[in-house]
Amino acid sequence: MAAGKLFIILLLAVSVVDSRLDPLIRLPSDGESNGEDDSVGTRWAVLIAGSSGYGNYRHQADVCHAYQVMKKGGLKDENIIVFMYDDIAYNYENPRQGVIINHPDGSDVYSGVPKDYVGEEVTVNNLFAVLLGNKTALTGGSGKVVDSGPNDHIFVFYSDHGGPGVLGMPTYPYLYADDLNAVLKQKYAAGTYKSLVFYLEACESGSIFEGILPEDINVYATTASNAEESSWGCYCPGETPGPPAEYYTCLGDLYSVSWLEDSDAHNLHSETLKQQYQYVKTRTSVENTYFSGSHVMQYGNLDINTDNLYLYIGSNPENDNLTFVQDNSLPIFSKSVNQRDADLVYFWHKYKRAALGSSEKHEAHKELLNVMSHRLHVDQSVELIGSLLFGNEQGSQVLNAVRPSGEPLVDDWSCLKSMVRTFETYCGSLSQYGMKHMRSFANICNAGVKTEIMSKVASQACTAVPSNPWSSLHKGFTA
């Protein structure tokens, strides 16, 4: 009898041990896992809106909405770091003062958002200092940084304009792909995270990671577009669905609102990064038609995409009883606006709505002419430089050449930045629109053109610079 009791005790002990080793075996005291890892450290989120101005309303709306997702998901304010210029909510053009919406019927997403880095504090240097946890490198701001440890999960969301190999900032210089990836590698080498997820909304956003982001530093990235196409704004005036009648700017971006609205609607304990990627990919492609849509991409360590979203952005307790359904009920956008043309939509509708003969009408007309003049000047200048360097027949072909998939945009990133500064010295600022030509400058470098030759040619191509704020160098160089 004593031997029998001893056997039962030993058997129970083995069962307890096995239940800890085998995830399929659970004692009643173990409870449900809900996809959670009890060993998870702190969840960190860094949210960046890289633009300014009411015409770029959508980028700050995306980021504010992301904050609300994180907050409802259980992340603490001390672990959510927000970069935004903060010139939208109380902008004189905003019809709902102190309120930002990211959906035509949406609630205020601005309320409660931390003002960690605003205005001229939204810089590349401050972003890198925050990611690396380096408080001494900060200039202004709240002082919050990602002070993470080896078991922590980090989520980064960036929404803005972009171009091949570059992301915009409301301050100069812009953020270049080589510098960002170097910081990610440095963060990994420091051993201060378990895994990092990066969601990126921008034109040609795939070029930020393609051929550059290593697969072995525990970073998983998804992008709104591939390396050679635009991303798209949504909830824009004149489109379907559009914003409330009093708005004349886009409220969101197609990729961004797709992952945000998906996160609002599901139990993120059970939805994986891969499931969200597939859903966002379908919605952003307009059901694989790519009519006013783009190719959502993924890069880095793809094994991470089997993780549940909860590990990075938490989950709203109100959704705990919901399950992920592949056939999502959120609507497909019938029409969106190319991100690069969203400012034209804004300026046109602003002009169209102003009263005839009013000072507002005159000023809106001036703004529209300025932005169109700047675009024309940049396009023509780059085209002429290509012709002077490579001949009339070969110029366009060389400038627009796209490297094979998997290769980085350029071999020498220092050369690329030097070419940009040389162009701007003689031809004026590229500004947010001119980022579209970054591939041209990269191809000039890849062709072996020296800076001295570029200087000579640029001085010939640009004998005058338009006198408008877009072309002005008052903010410095973009590189």
Side-chain angles (χ1 to χ4, degrees), residues 249-265:
T249 187
C250 302
L251 302 182
D253 293 289
L254 184 51
Y255 161 88
S256 295
V257 302
S258 293
W259 79 259
L260 288 163
E261 292 176 5
D262 176 72
S263 298
D264 285 333

Side-chain angles (χ1 to χ4, degrees), residues 56-136:
N56 288 318
Y57 181 109
R58 61 196 182 280
H59 300 136
Q60 292 184 50
D62 294 339
V63 161
C64 288
H65 188 171
Y67 166 78
Q68 303 300 338
V69 169
M70 311 295 147
K71 190 67 174 176
K72 291 177 182 178
L75 275 72
K76 300 176 181 177
D77 276 353
E78 65 193 65
N79 302 122
I80 306 173
I81 304 169
V82 179
F83 286 78
M84 66 177 183
Y85 208 78
D86 196 27
D87 60 343
I88 300 301
Y90 292 98
N91 191 294
Y92 75 95
E93 296 183 68
N94 187 10
R96 302 180 189 177
Q97 287 289 291
V99 171
I100 294 177
I101 58 175
N102 197 217
H103 184 280
D105 301 318
S107 59
D108 177 26
V109 294
Y110 182 70
S111 178
V113 176
K115 312 301 190 303
D116 292 308
Y117 300 91
V118 299
E120 298 301 303
E121 298 162 354
V122 183
T123 66
V124 171
N125 286 340
N126 275 348
L127 173 59
F128 289 169
V130 164
L131 289 173
L132 294 173
N134 185 0
K135 289 188 176 183
T136 62

Side-chain angles (χ1 to χ4, degrees), residues 169-188:
M169 272 282 181
T171 55
Y172 292 169
Y174 287 157
L175 174 55
Y176 285 79
D178 64 321
D179 297 323
L180 175 59
N181 282 274
V183 165
L184 295 177
K185 293 175 188 177
Q186 186 177 346
K187 184 72 173 176
Y188 175 75

